[in-house]
Amino acid sequence: MSLDYENDSQLHEKLIEDVLSQYPDKTAKRRKKHLNVAKAGDEIDQEEGRPLSECDVKSNIKSIPGVMTIRGCAYAGSKGVVWGPVKDMVHISHGPVGCGQYSWSQRRNYYIGTTGIDTFVTMQFTSDFQEKDIVFGGDKKLEKVIDEIEALFPLNNGVTIQSECPIGLIGDDIEAVSRKKKKEINKTIVPVRCEGFRGVSQSLGHHIANDAIRDWVFSGEDKHAEFKTGPYDVNIIGDYNIGGDAWASRILLEEMGLRVVGNWSGDATLAEIERAPKAKLNLIHCYRSMNYICRHMEEKYGIAWMEYNFFGPSQIEASLRKIAKYFGPEIEANAEAVIAKYRPLVDAVIEKYRPRLEGKTVMLYVGGLRPRHVITAYEDLGMEIVGTGYEFGHNDDYQRTSHYVKNGTLIYDDVTGYELEKFIEGIRPDLVGSGIKEKYPVQKMGIPFRQMHSWDYSGPYHGYDGFAIFARDMDLAINNPVWGLYDAPWKKKQAEPLPIAAE
């Protein structure tokens, strides 16, 4: 159950005023639009019966040159998020070797299969552009790379071409290469125009990748005409199986009687994507990266879609009931049985960890869905969210955030390194959840940290099983005895007993 609390609006407004005062006037004017303090609005949350917070800020706008941003590029959005986890396809980083090397091994997108035989998620393929390729073009080289892949890894089910910045600049015709090689090897070849300079962040890369699925996967022949559909077929969209998240989610959906026919794109196969239009409902977890293809399937195939949130028991229960309601009484009864089955586990986790985490404050700064979706998982443990923001969110992401944040919460869009440090210094939260680039500066400030992109090499965090791991990890971070050793001994007035983390 969520906590009823308010944050310190005056302090947060003062922090915004202080950081803006350090900028030149023009920069301060631009950045002011991206910072805000959530306030109670007039709109009422229909499910919880409370006023929704107003936390709108300017978003999806180009970062100011010269400031430190932690955004990724369009290539990162396509290769690193949407296409990279599709396990039985080979994903070519078409361009210089650097981008491919940086994206090697993905984001802990777990998969089942034999690497190098029928799965290729953690392998890196690049056309390794050199100067002569920039001058004379890389089409021939790309064809040769696809031929080599076909010879070395014949069990691959297709290839994607993830173009890097130079490809868009020199005008390589990757679409023509794709059509030619598709005829020659009779496999799906998908060109993705995701050059890093496109758009203002990785967000456009998600959109481009979705469009590539629409144009190069869905527009072809129906390869699964014999596939027998059922009344409870669903697709999981926008779960990348980080640390096994999609598996934890799939267990719950199947326990309530649904059949998951497609899992995008963590642990996904090309066949799962191809037959997705045959499902009855699309369940979307990461709205930001996959809403485009869900809207397309709704318009063209009439497949409804709904968002769900499997972080923490409060949202899991609400989501299971919302999904079940779509399918009717039988599935609704099954959902209640699933909720009842896991209730003892939830009670045990909360009984163990809530006394150790009650009242602890948290600041978040992540991408995708996490700045809003994980809030209630923390609140299920008695923790309070004092600030949250998106790396590459859009206006509708902040509208959705209003359902989760409390009055007075500090809101920051594409926050600069300077702003984030000053906000953390001013608030001194008990925990910061952000990305790997923020981890070590925050820990050097003496503040516990959890990496909320890849779960700090832990997980899963989705589902009931994931909630138990989530609670354990937050306890380990906050109640680690090392924080009691942070101050120099001569600065301590009195030694305090060290807390011991739970096992």
Side-chain angles (χ1 to χ4, degrees):
M1 181 177 293
S2 300
L3 298 176
D4 186 15
Y5 62 89
E6 281 199 11
N7 287 304
D8 190 340
S9 299
Q10 288 187 332
L11 170 64
H12 296 169
E13 288 171 356
K14 180 67 166 53
L15 290 172
I16 293 175
E17 184 181 328
D18 288 346
V19 298
L20 293 177
S21 69
Q22 301 303 308
Y23 288 137
D25 291 344
K26 186 176 179 181
T27 302
K29 185 178 179 181
R30 291 178 61 182
R31 283 302 304 160
K32 185 178 181 179
K33 300 173 182 174
H34 297 263
L35 308 171
N36 201 357
V37 175
K39 301 176 181 64
D42 297 329
E43 190 178 353
I44 302 296
D45 187 318
Q46 297 300 322
E47 294 184 0
E48 296 191 9
R50 66 174 178 81
L52 292 176
S53 297
E54 290 183 355
C55 56
D56 285 347
V57 292
K58 282 282 185 183
S59 58
N60 196 34
I61 293 175
K62 185 178 180 181
S63 302
I64 297 174
V67 303
M68 182 69 78
T69 177
I70 62 172
R71 285 174 164 178
C73 65
Y75 164 85
S78 177
K79 167 66 164 60
V81 178
V82 177
W83 277 109
V86 180
K87 64 182 180 181
D88 62 344
M89 299 181 77
V90 171
H91 309 289
I92 301 173
S93 296
H94 187 36
V97 69
C99 296
Q101 172 66 20
Y102 187 71
S103 64
W104 196 10
S105 293
Q106 300 294 120
R107 294 186 303 155
R108 300 180 64 242
N109 306 111
Y110 285 3
Y111 56 89
I112 295 170
T114 305
T115 303
I117 303 299
D118 57 2
T119 56
F120 310 94
V121 174
T122 54
M123 299 181 72
Q124 179 55 40
F125 300 81
T126 175
S127 49
D128 187 21
F129 254 48
Q130 303 296 313
E131 283 185 66
K132 64 178 182 181
D133 301 314
I134 300 293
V135 175
F136 298 107
D139 291 353
K140 298 295 182 186
K141 193 171 192 178
L142 181 59
E143 291 184 32
K144 185 178 179 182
V145 171
I146 295 173
D147 289 339
E148 290 179 351
I149 288 170
E150 190 59 17
L152 291 169
F153 306 102
L155 294 184
N156 80 79
N157 284 325
V159 172
T160 71
I161 301 164
Q162 309 287 319
S163 58
E164 301 172 15
C165 288
I167 308 307
L169 297 175
I170 66 175
D172 267 9
D173 193 347
I174 60 174
E175 289 81 7
V177 173
S178 299
R179 283 189 285 268
K180 178 182 177 183
K181 301 311 291 185
K182 179 183 178 181
K183 289 181 180 178
E184 290 181 8
I185 64 177
N186 194 30
K187 289 184 178 177
T188 299
I189 312 288
V190 182
V192 192
R193 288 280 183 189
C194 57
E195 292 89 356
F197 58 74
R198 296 184 186 275
V200 300
S201 70
Q202 60 262 57
S203 180
L204 186 61
H206 306 146
H207 198 159
I208 293 169
N210 281 211
D211 288 351
I213 294 172
R214 177 196 65 197
D215 297 339
W216 293 84
V217 179
F218 286 174
S219 63
E221 62 178 312
D222 183 1
K223 298 179 180 177
H224 305 275
E226 78 290 351
F227 181 77
K228 293 183 179 179
T229 60
Y232 303 128
D233 290 350
V234 299
N235 292 311
I236 296 177
I237 307 286
D239 191 323
Y240 302 103
N241 206 30
I242 297 170
D245 281 337
W247 295 334
S249 302
R250 188 168 186 153
I251 288 171
L252 297 180
L253 296 173
E254 292 181 343
E255 281 188 334
M256 61 191 281
L258 304 180
R259 184 173 71 154
V260 179
V261 297
N263 195 55
W264 295 25
S265 55
D267 195 33
T269 63
L270 176 61
E272 290 180 62
I273 298 175
E274 290 171 337
R275 69 189 182 211
K278 299 177 183 293
K280 297 295 184 294
L281 178 67
N282 282 328
L283 300 171
I284 182 168
H285 206 248
C286 181
Y287 171 87
R288 182 72 276 135
S289 62
M290 284 288 197
N291 76 88
Y292 316 100
I293 198 67
C294 288
R295 294 179 192 278
H296 170 70
M297 282 194 271
E298 183 179 38
E299 292 172 2
K300 184 168 183 178
Y301 306 105
I303 302 175
W305 59 274
M306 69 170 64
E307 294 181 72
Y308 71 103
N309 180 353
F310 275 180
F311 284 107
S314 294
Q315 288 301 322
I316 295 173
E317 290 182 11
S319 293
L320 289 178
R321 289 182 173 127
K322 185 170 75 170
I323 295 167
K325 190 175 182 180
Y326 180 85
F327 289 101
E330 181 182 349
I331 300 298
E332 284 183 286
N334 291 347
E336 293 302 324
V338 171
I339 292 169
K341 173 186 173 182
Y342 287 97
R343 180 75 68 185
L345 183 151
V346 170
D347 291 343
V349 171
I350 291 177
E351 181 182 8
K352 181 175 182 179
Y353 291 105
R354 184 159 181 147
R356 303 173 61 80
L357 299 171
E358 184 95 46
K360 301 294 185 183
T361 55
V362 183
M363 285 181 67
L364 299 168
Y365 180 47
V366 217
L369 55 94
R370 300 178 186 86
R372 60 178 183 274
H373 269 196
V374 298
I375 287 176
T376 41
Y378 283 108
E379 291 177 339
D380 285 334
L381 295 168
M383 304 171 76
E384 301 175 4
I385 304 298
V386 292
T388 189
Y390 294 83
E391 297 172 18
F392 49 85
H394 293 209
N395 182 50
D396 48 1
D397 289 306
Y398 287 99
Q399 290 175 347
R400 284 169 168 76
T401 305
S402 65
H403 292 258
Y404 293 91
V405 297
K406 298 294 192 295
N407 194 34
T409 304
L410 184 60
I411 306 294
Y412 31 80
D413 174 70
D414 186 28
V415 67
T416 69
Y418 168 75
E419 291 164 4
L420 186 61
E421 281 194 19
K422 289 302 175 185
F423 290 155
I424 293 172
E425 284 178 4
I427 295 175
R428 297 296 299 182
D430 296 300
L431 180 76
V432 173
S434 188
I436 189 65
K437 292 187 284 292
E438 293 72 49
K439 178 174 182 174
Y440 300 105
V442 170
Q443 289 187 334
K444 287 176 181 177
M445 295 165 74
I447 296 175
F449 185 94
R450 286 301 299 181
Q451 208 269 71
M452 295 299 285
H453 288 291
S454 294
W455 312 147
D456 251 337
Y457 313 102
S458 182
Y461 282 178
H462 292 181
Y464 288 114
D465 294 340
F467 178 63
I469 297 170
F470 173 83
R472 179 203 64 186
D473 287 355
M474 300 310 134
D475 179 44
L476 285 170
I478 291 176
N479 293 317
N480 191 317
V482 71
W483 304 117
L485 305 173
Y486 183 77
D487 292 331
W490 57 87
K491 291 185 177 179
K492 289 184 178 179
K493 294 181 180 178
Q494 185 177 358
E496 298 179 355
L498 299 177
I500 299 175
E503 295 180 354

